[in-house]
Amino acid sequence: MTADIKLFDRPFFGYLVSRSSIGMANTMLVMALGWHLYQLTGDAWSIAFVGLAQVIPVYAFFFVSGIVVDYVPRIWVVRGCALIEAIAIFGIAMLMIDPTPTLWAVYTLVCLHGTGRAFHGPALQAIVPNIVHEGVLDRAVAMSTTVWNTAMILGPALGGFLIAWFDRSVYFVIAGIILFALLGYALIPTFRVTHTTSRTLRSFFDGMRFVKNQPIILGGLTVDMLMVGFGSVLVLLPIYAIDVLNVGAESLGVLRSMPALGSILVGVILASRPPMQGAGKKLFIALCLFVGSILGFAVSNVYWLSLIALFVYGASDMVSMNIRSAMVHRATPEHLRGRVSAVNMLFIQTSNEAGDFRGGSFAAMFGPVTTGVLGAGIAALVLIWSRWQFAPLYQLNRTSDLKPDV
């Protein structure tokens, strides 16, 4: 029956174009800021504050973003957010023309960019079930994640060369890529969600309440947040490139692309296969590999070994990401998608941006190698703890077994 259902229709194609553009621009921005700020200051705190500036809006607008995504047409939200992000990056580009830019102004514009992302991320997640048929939802999630990770490869790889060629003028290119996403969004029509309840103070907390009452979803989000938040090594890459591996901006771009290369390989496999069986057991194995890859990268001072470790890092994380995304899409009622997506993005961006602040600050205090080893150890402890704290998560057979509680 699902063989006759079209996956690559006009709206979904537009979505993929836009999501890949946004992904490329965001990874290029973070990598470029990490490279230039560390070159300017030689201080890991300068990188840590980029993560802090990005995550503050996520917390500040958490409740508002979910309501907006549920009650305002989601395509309007993503278009507006793309415009805000492009303006912020253009402002950063103007500041970085100065040989000694005012750092507080840079961080302020990074915060503005993060404000756009605080609404953009939940809207991008929530819009997928509106533009694809339920029969191909798992494939759409896998394909969407694969396209995202393709952008994670192209963004840093291209970004490394663009930094080498244009140096600080690269931010103008990044702003242009964000604007290109608006062309893809033009292919997506306006969808309105019908609500059976009114907007009350209680409704602001419905997303959190829903996740709290779903132990499998809560477990998946919590484990990812803690393991990535304490274990991620991506923020350390500019420091490793300059101080440990002694390589240039082009090689940094390749380093930053390797996790996404691992992710896309696994994503293509998942998208071409039937729904995963034994999802919980495979998730645990993937998380064990994730811990091992963090430790391997942390202790490596050989470039090609670091590349291999980062490839495994991305490949194992893709399994977790795919299972987690499918669980959220499958179990969430339509009228709660925006608020649940906001909760999901709160967990994701806490692990990523707050994790970047943690990694940068730890590197400033303990050095990059010690930070990486500590991250691997903490991630291992989180995995052991989650085995009994969220036992149903690792007993899950298929994500399609989860149904919305309406």
Side-chain angles (χ1 to χ4, degrees), residues 9 136 144 183 234 253 287 289 324 337 379:
D9 56 7
V136 292
S144 172
L183 296 178
L234 299 186
L287 293 176
L289 291 173
R324 186 178 65 252
R337 288 197 188 279

mmCIF file with all atom_site columns, all heavy atoms in Angstrom, residues 9 136 144 183 234 253 287 289 324 337 379:
data_model
loop_
_atom_site.group_PDB
_atom_site.id
_atom_site.type_symbol
_atom_site.label_atom_id
_atom_site.label_alt_id
_atom_site.label_comp_id
_atom_site.label_asym_id
_atom_site.label_entity_id
_atom_site.label_seq_id
_atom_site.pdbx_PDB_ins_code
_atom_site.Cartn_x
_atom_site.Cartn_y
_atom_site.Cartn_z
_atom_site.occupancy
_atom_site.B_iso_or_equiv
_atom_site.pdbx_formal_charge
_atom_site.auth_seq_id
_atom_site.auth_comp_id
_atom_site.auth_asym_id
_atom_site.auth_atom_id
_atom_site.pdbx_PDB_model_num
ATOM 1  N N   . ASP A 1 9   ? 7.403  14.579 -3.046 1.00 0.00 ? 9   ASP A N   1
ATOM 2  C CA  . ASP A 1 9   ? 6.547  15.529 -3.721 1.00 0.00 ? 9   ASP A CA  1
ATOM 3  C C   . ASP A 1 9   ? 7.099  16.942 -3.506 1.00 0.00 ? 9   ASP A C   1
ATOM 4  O O   . ASP A 1 9   ? 8.123  17.136 -2.858 1.00 0.00 ? 9   ASP A O   1
ATOM 5  C CB  . ASP A 1 9   ? 5.097  15.418 -3.241 1.00 0.00 ? 9   ASP A CB  1
ATOM 6  C CG  . ASP A 1 9   ? 4.967  15.576 -1.735 1.00 0.00 ? 9   ASP A CG  1
ATOM 7  O OD1 . ASP A 1 9   ? 5.984  15.898 -1.082 1.00 0.00 ? 9   ASP A OD1 1
ATOM 8  O OD2 . ASP A 1 9   ? 3.863  15.384 -1.215 1.00 0.00 ? 9   ASP A OD2 1
ATOM 9  N N   . VAL A 1 136 ? 4.754  6.781  5.015  1.00 0.00 ? 136 VAL A N   1
ATOM 10 C CA  . VAL A 1 136 ? 6.183  6.933  4.690  1.00 0.00 ? 136 VAL A CA  1
ATOM 11 C C   . VAL A 1 136 ? 6.884  7.843  5.701  1.00 0.00 ? 136 VAL A C   1
ATOM 12 O O   . VAL A 1 136 ? 7.964  8.352  5.418  1.00 0.00 ? 136 VAL A O   1
ATOM 13 C CB  . VAL A 1 136 ? 6.370  7.486  3.262  1.00 0.00 ? 136 VAL A CB  1
ATOM 14 C CG1 . VAL A 1 136 ? 5.933  6.465  2.233  1.00 0.00 ? 136 VAL A CG1 1
ATOM 15 C CG2 . VAL A 1 136 ? 5.619  8.796  3.072  1.00 0.00 ? 136 VAL A CG2 1
ATOM 16 N N   . SER A 1 144 ? 15.144 12.916 5.864  1.00 0.00 ? 144 SER A N   1
ATOM 17 C CA  . SER A 1 144 ? 15.368 14.271 6.346  1.00 0.00 ? 144 SER A CA  1
ATOM 18 C C   . SER A 1 144 ? 16.650 14.347 7.167  1.00 0.00 ? 144 SER A C   1
ATOM 19 O O   . SER A 1 144 ? 17.461 15.275 7.005  1.00 0.00 ? 144 SER A O   1
ATOM 20 C CB  . SER A 1 144 ? 14.175 14.718 7.193  1.00 0.00 ? 144 SER A CB  1
ATOM 21 O OG  . SER A 1 144 ? 14.422 15.948 7.818  1.00 0.00 ? 144 SER A OG  1
ATOM 22 N N   . LEU A 1 183 ? 13.877 30.008 -0.696 1.00 0.00 ? 183 LEU A N   1
ATOM 23 C CA  . LEU A 1 183 ? 13.390 29.477 -1.974 1.00 0.00 ? 183 LEU A CA  1
ATOM 24 C C   . LEU A 1 183 ? 12.730 28.115 -1.777 1.00 0.00 ? 183 LEU A C   1
ATOM 25 O O   . LEU A 1 183 ? 11.698 27.807 -2.377 1.00 0.00 ? 183 LEU A O   1
ATOM 26 C CB  . LEU A 1 183 ? 14.541 29.373 -2.973 1.00 0.00 ? 183 LEU A CB  1
ATOM 27 C CG  . LEU A 1 183 ? 15.209 30.692 -3.392 1.00 0.00 ? 183 LEU A CG  1
ATOM 28 C CD1 . LEU A 1 183 ? 16.362 30.426 -4.357 1.00 0.00 ? 183 LEU A CD1 1
ATOM 29 C CD2 . LEU A 1 183 ? 14.186 31.622 -4.024 1.00 0.00 ? 183 LEU A CD2 1
ATOM 30 N N   . LEU A 1 234 ? 32.903 18.127 19.523 1.00 0.00 ? 234 LEU A N   1
ATOM 31 C CA  . LEU A 1 234 ? 32.902 18.987 18.335 1.00 0.00 ? 234 LEU A CA  1
ATOM 32 C C   . LEU A 1 234 ? 33.389 20.397 18.634 1.00 0.00 ? 234 LEU A C   1
ATOM 33 O O   . LEU A 1 234 ? 34.060 21.013 17.799 1.00 0.00 ? 234 LEU A O   1
ATOM 34 C CB  . LEU A 1 234 ? 31.495 19.019 17.720 1.00 0.00 ? 234 LEU A CB  1
ATOM 35 C CG  . LEU A 1 234 ? 30.954 17.660 17.245 1.00 0.00 ? 234 LEU A CG  1
ATOM 36 C CD1 . LEU A 1 234 ? 29.629 17.837 16.529 1.00 0.00 ? 234 LEU A CD1 1
ATOM 37 C CD2 . LEU A 1 234 ? 31.958 16.950 16.346 1.00 0.00 ? 234 LEU A CD2 1
ATOM 38 N N   . GLY A 1 253 ? 38.005 21.713 8.483  1.00 0.00 ? 253 GLY A N   1
ATOM 39 C CA  . GLY A 1 253 ? 36.744 21.451 7.795  1.00 0.00 ? 253 GLY A CA  1
ATOM 40 C C   . GLY A 1 253 ? 36.504 19.967 7.577  1.00 0.00 ? 253 GLY A C   1
ATOM 41 O O   . GLY A 1 253 ? 35.399 19.472 7.730  1.00 0.00 ? 253 GLY A O   1
ATOM 42 N N   . LEU A 1 287 ? 25.152 3.489  21.418 1.00 0.00 ? 287 LEU A N   1
ATOM 43 C CA  . LEU A 1 287 ? 25.632 4.404  22.450 1.00 0.00 ? 287 LEU A CA  1
ATOM 44 C C   . LEU A 1 287 ? 26.966 3.939  23.030 1.00 0.00 ? 287 LEU A C   1
ATOM 45 O O   . LEU A 1 287 ? 27.812 4.769  23.404 1.00 0.00 ? 287 LEU A O   1
ATOM 46 C CB  . LEU A 1 287 ? 24.577 4.548  23.550 1.00 0.00 ? 287 LEU A CB  1
ATOM 47 C CG  . LEU A 1 287 ? 23.281 5.255  23.126 1.00 0.00 ? 287 LEU A CG  1
ATOM 48 C CD1 . LEU A 1 287 ? 22.258 5.249  24.269 1.00 0.00 ? 287 LEU A CD1 1
ATOM 49 C CD2 . LEU A 1 287 ? 23.558 6.678  22.669 1.00 0.00 ? 287 LEU A CD2 1
ATOM 50 N N   . LEU A 1 289 ? 29.283 2.408  21.272 1.00 0.00 ? 289 LEU A N   1
ATOM 51 C CA  . LEU A 1 289 ? 30.244 2.839  20.250 1.00 0.00 ? 289 LEU A CA  1
ATOM 52 C C   . LEU A 1 289 ? 30.494 4.337  20.330 1.00 0.00 ? 289 LEU A C   1
ATOM 53 O O   . LEU A 1 289 ? 31.618 4.805  20.111 1.00 0.00 ? 289 LEU A O   1
ATOM 54 C CB  . LEU A 1 289 ? 29.724 2.465  18.858 1.00 0.00 ? 289 LEU A CB  1
ATOM 55 C CG  . LEU A 1 289 ? 29.685 0.972  18.519 1.00 0.00 ? 289 LEU A CG  1
ATOM 56 C CD1 . LEU A 1 289 ? 28.984 0.751  17.185 1.00 0.00 ? 289 LEU A CD1 1
ATOM 57 C CD2 . LEU A 1 289 ? 31.101 0.391  18.484 1.00 0.00 ? 289 LEU A CD2 1
ATOM 58 N N   . ARG A 1 324 ? 15.233 8.271  18.055 1.00 0.00 ? 324 ARG A N   1
ATOM 59 C CA  . ARG A 1 324 ? 14.609 9.308  18.875 1.00 0.00 ? 324 ARG A CA  1
ATOM 60 C C   . ARG A 1 324 ? 13.615 10.142 18.066 1.00 0.00 ? 324 ARG A C   1
ATOM 61 O O   . ARG A 1 324 ? 12.493 10.410 18.525 1.00 0.00 ? 324 ARG A O   1
ATOM 62 C CB  . ARG A 1 324 ? 15.700 10.214 19.457 1.00 0.00 ? 324 ARG A CB  1
ATOM 63 C CG  . ARG A 1 324 ? 15.189 11.233 20.449 1.00 0.00 ? 324 ARG A CG  1
ATOM 64 C CD  . ARG A 1 324 ? 16.326 12.048 21.023 1.00 0.00 ? 324 ARG A CD  1
ATOM 65 N NE  . ARG A 1 324 ? 16.990 12.878 20.028 1.00 0.00 ? 324 ARG A NE  1
ATOM 66 C CZ  . ARG A 1 324 ? 18.211 12.647 19.548 1.00 0.00 ? 324 ARG A CZ  1
ATOM 67 N NH1 . ARG A 1 324 ? 18.894 11.605 19.944 1.00 0.00 ? 324 ARG A NH1 1
ATOM 68 N NH2 . ARG A 1 324 ? 18.748 13.461 18.651 1.00 0.00 ? 324 ARG A NH2 1
ATOM 69 N N   . ARG A 1 337 ? 2.223  18.885 18.516 1.00 0.00 ? 337 ARG A N   1
ATOM 70 C CA  . ARG A 1 337 ? 3.523  18.724 17.861 1.00 0.00 ? 337 ARG A CA  1
ATOM 71 C C   . ARG A 1 337 ? 4.463  19.903 18.107 1.00 0.00 ? 337 ARG A C   1
ATOM 72 O O   . ARG A 1 337 ? 5.659  19.723 18.311 1.00 0.00 ? 337 ARG A O   1
ATOM 73 C CB  . ARG A 1 337 ? 3.337  18.509 16.358 1.00 0.00 ? 337 ARG A CB  1
ATOM 74 C CG  . ARG A 1 337 ? 2.786  17.152 16.011 1.00 0.00 ? 337 ARG A CG  1
ATOM 75 C CD  . ARG A 1 337 ? 2.994  16.800 14.553 1.00 0.00 ? 337 ARG A CD  1
ATOM 76 N NE  . ARG A 1 337 ? 2.283  15.572 14.221 1.00 0.00 ? 337 ARG A NE  1
ATOM 77 C CZ  . ARG A 1 337 ? 2.740  14.347 14.480 1.00 0.00 ? 337 ARG A CZ  1
ATOM 78 N NH1 . ARG A 1 337 ? 3.898  14.207 15.085 1.00 0.00 ? 337 ARG A NH1 1
ATOM 79 N NH2 . ARG A 1 337 ? 2.037  13.295 14.149 1.00 0.00 ? 337 ARG A NH2 1
ATOM 80 N N   . ALA A 1 379 ? 29.994 10.195 29.947 1.00 0.00 ? 379 ALA A N   1
ATOM 81 C CA  . ALA A 1 379 ? 29.023 9.589  29.028 1.00 0.00 ? 379 ALA A CA  1
ATOM 82 C C   . ALA A 1 379 ? 28.835 8.107  29.332 1.00 0.00 ? 379 ALA A C   1
ATOM 83 O O   . ALA A 1 379 ? 27.715 7.586  29.272 1.00 0.00 ? 379 ALA A O   1
ATOM 84 C CB  . ALA A 1 379 ? 29.492 9.782  27.583 1.00 0.00 ? 379 ALA A CB  1
#
